[in-house]
């Protein structure tokens, strides 16, 4: 691999970490290049600026989440609607256990759900996220066939947000005052609890109890 390619990849890796920890606005060029031990001018040289770098990180994150997806259209349609919700939630929380590549990308998107940046808005205008497609396909199974577009959108956004606070504040969970032990047992409990509440929330829209339908 050429030196320029190594430098570019280092910037992408460290930028992803910085954006995951702090969000786009609070992640500075200085911090990113300090992490990568690279001259700040390298960002302009390789990407044309912080916004272009962020867009590339979003593109890489989008591809990684798509490739790592546990769900597809066939699975969502084959299992019960309640099970589809539980699998959707589990897919989002499981990467937190490894706190690796997929986990940091989920955290980037979690920041964006809190306060979408212009870069992100422009990005999703041309790149539809798998998580949104999956969530919409799931919520449609809970809503009447004649549900309005606005109702579908609200339910879709609501479902995607059920795990976002845990993803966004992952590092704080293990520190005081919460001091939680983030291990496999916690992740399993989180997936089960949030999944159960999400199922109940969607079923309540029609005033029916949870069912394997």
């Amino acid at each position: 691999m050429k030196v320029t390619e190594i430098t570019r990849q280092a910037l992408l890796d460290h930028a992803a970490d910085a954006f995951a920890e702090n969000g786009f606005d609070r992640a500075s060029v200085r911090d990113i290049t300090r992490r990568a031990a690279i001259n700040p001018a390298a960002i302009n040289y390789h990407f044309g600026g912080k916004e272009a770098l962020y867009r590339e990180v979003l593109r890489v994150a989008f591809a990684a989440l798509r490739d790592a997806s546990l769900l597809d259209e066939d699975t969502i349609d084959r299992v019960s609607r309640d099970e589809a919700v539980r699998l959707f939630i589990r897919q989002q929380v499981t990467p937190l256990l490894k706190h690796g590549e997929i986990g940091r990308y989920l955290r980037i998107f979690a920041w964006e759900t809190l306060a979408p940046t212009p870069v992100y808005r422009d990005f999703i205008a041309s790149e539809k996220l798998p998580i949104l497609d999956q969530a919409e396909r799931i919520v449609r199974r809970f809503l009447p066939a004649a549900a309005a577009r606005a109702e579908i959108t609200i339910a879709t956004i609501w479902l995607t947000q059920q795990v976002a606070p845990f993803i966004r504040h992952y590092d704080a969970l293990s520190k005081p005052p919460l001091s939680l032990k983030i291990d496999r047992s916690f992740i399993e409990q989180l997936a089960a609890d949030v999944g159960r509440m999400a199922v109940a929330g969607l079923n309540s829209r029609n005033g029916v109890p949870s069912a394997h339908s």
Side-chain angles (χ1 to χ4, degrees), residues 19 24 50-58 108 112 119:
F19 292 137
F24 174 75
K50 179 184 174 183
E51 289 189 359
L53 170 60
Y54 188 51
R55 173 176 281 278
E56 184 63 14
V57 170
L58 289 175
I108 290 173
E112 288 293 351
V119 181

Side-chain angles (χ1 to χ4, degrees), residues 1-107:
M1 184 180 291
K2 297 180 180 179
V3 174
T4 55
E5 294 174 347
I6 293 175
T7 300
R8 188 176 189 279
Q9 188 59 51
L11 286 171
L12 282 172
D13 288 341
H14 290 285
D17 287 336
F19 292 137
E21 293 172 16
N22 303 303
F24 174 75
D25 292 330
R26 292 172 55 197
S28 68
V29 167
R30 183 181 297 275
D31 181 39
I32 293 169
T33 53
R34 178 189 59 78
R35 292 168 184 249
I38 294 172
N39 190 296
I43 287 183
N44 284 330
Y45 177 79
H46 288 280
F47 299 97
K50 179 184 174 183
E51 289 189 359
L53 170 60
Y54 188 51
R55 173 176 281 278
E56 184 63 14
V57 170
L58 289 175
R59 187 191 66 78
V60 173
F62 170 83
L65 291 176
R66 180 188 59 213
D67 294 343
S69 178
L70 299 176
L71 288 173
D72 54 32
E73 293 183 2
D74 290 340
T75 301
I76 291 174
D77 294 340
R78 184 179 68 252
V79 301
S80 71
R81 66 185 191 183
D82 289 7
E83 181 62 16
V85 173
R86 287 189 283 266
L87 288 174
F88 180 80
I89 296 298
R90 179 173 294 279
Q91 174 177 263
Q92 294 181 73
V93 302
T94 299
L96 293 179
L97 188 60
K98 298 180 180 179
H99 203 192
E101 180 183 43
I102 300 301
R104 68 179 178 178
Y105 293 151
L106 286 172
R107 295 175 72 194

